[in-house]
Amino acid sequence: MTDEATLLALARGDDEAWPVYADWLEARGDEDRAAVVRLHRRLAAMALADDLAIVVARELLELAAGLPRAWLAQLATPGVIGTCWGARDASNGVYVIAFRADGTIGFRQGTPDDGDIDEMATDALGDGTWMQIGHALTFSIQNIDARTEDYSRHDGVVFGDRMRGIASDINGGFWSWGLAPTDPANAFGPLPELPETPIDSDRSTTIAHDALPERRWA
């Protein structure tokens, strides 16, 4: 009898083996993980520019929230672990996010011409958590004044060298966002001179959604 580790290893190396793995899980009564695998593969067949991809990603993230993080992490190939991404915000400032191996993020925001990096770092350093399931990605940025609380939550997709998605904050704001890779040194060094795009929107996104959930990962 084929064991789960073998099936998962086969699926990670051959896309045609994913449905076999999902069917195997379902046959053993593990319907939630089977559904996650199927959504994972549905999302993989989409494209970054497809707004429906973000809807599918959020459905996947919701369904997966109660499942073991170690298993979910095996669906992320390639993963964003150890990478750093950045963008301009709606005010033409810059922010960068580093995805750490322990499931936390490092967050910095400011403008490249602040002149006083030390002052900027004190005011705009932040932390948070992240989780990736295949092309689906979620991360939170904690309230700088209360590090145990999330200030904003972001759900989206990552395809190659671009991320995009939707976000909400504790003040009720909603917006779309996009990120591109940058040097990991930017997580702690001077803010980078990023190109004009991608950029966060300065208005509510048109993607249909409810408020981002209070999601936690085991």
Side-chain angles (χ1 to χ4, degrees):
M1 179 182 293
T2 303
D3 62 23
E4 181 175 357
T6 300
L7 280 173
L8 182 55
L10 287 172
R12 285 166 58 87
D14 180 0
D15 286 347
E16 293 185 0
W18 283 110
V20 177
Y21 179 42
D23 290 347
W24 185 90
L25 289 169
E26 186 173 47
R28 281 152 182 77
D30 202 339
E31 296 178 355
D32 285 348
R33 286 203 297 158
V36 164
V37 169
R38 291 181 180 125
L39 282 172
H40 161 55
R41 297 318 302 162
R42 180 184 175 192
L43 182 58
M46 294 180 166
L48 178 75
D50 188 347
D51 281 350
L52 183 58
I54 297 175
V55 175
V56 173
R58 292 197 64 199
E59 183 180 355
L60 171 57
L61 291 162
E62 283 296 293
L63 182 61
L67 297 177
R69 184 186 181 104
W71 177 77
L72 294 169
Q74 295 184 75
L75 305 184
T77 307
V80 300
I81 185 170
T83 63
C84 188
W85 298 65
R88 291 183 178 275
D89 60 28
S91 301
N92 207 38
V94 171
Y95 69 93
V96 291
I97 297 173
F99 294 91
R100 300 170 178 148
D102 63 357
T104 64
I105 63 168
F107 171 77
R108 299 177 67 238
Q109 186 171 19
T111 56
D113 57 354
D114 274 346
D116 190 340
I117 294 297
D118 290 336
E119 181 179 349
M120 184 284 302
T122 300
D123 293 340
L125 279 175
D127 298 294
T129 58
W130 68 278
M131 182 65 198
Q132 182 182 5
I133 308 170
H135 292 282
L137 181 77
T138 183
F139 61 92
S140 65
I141 297 172
Q142 291 179 345
N143 189 328
I144 294 174
D145 297 324
R147 293 301 176 88
T148 60
E149 301 176 0
D150 288 344
Y151 175 78
S152 62
R153 289 178 176 270
H154 305 66
D155 284 353
V157 292
V158 52
F159 286 90
D161 64 350
R162 287 293 184 272
M163 293 180 188
R164 65 182 291 261
I166 58 172
S168 70
D169 62 28
I170 59 175
N171 299 315
F174 291 94
W175 65 97
S176 58
W177 56 269
L179 294 170
T182 186
D183 189 331
N186 291 328
F188 302 101
L191 287 164
E193 292 282 359
L194 290 174
E196 294 302 315
T197 57
I199 189 168
D200 271 0
S201 71
D202 58 358
R203 57 186 179 276
S204 295
T205 175
T206 58
I207 300 171
H209 61 276
D210 298 319
L212 294 185
E214 295 185 2
R215 192 185 292 124
R216 287 291 186 271
W217 300 94

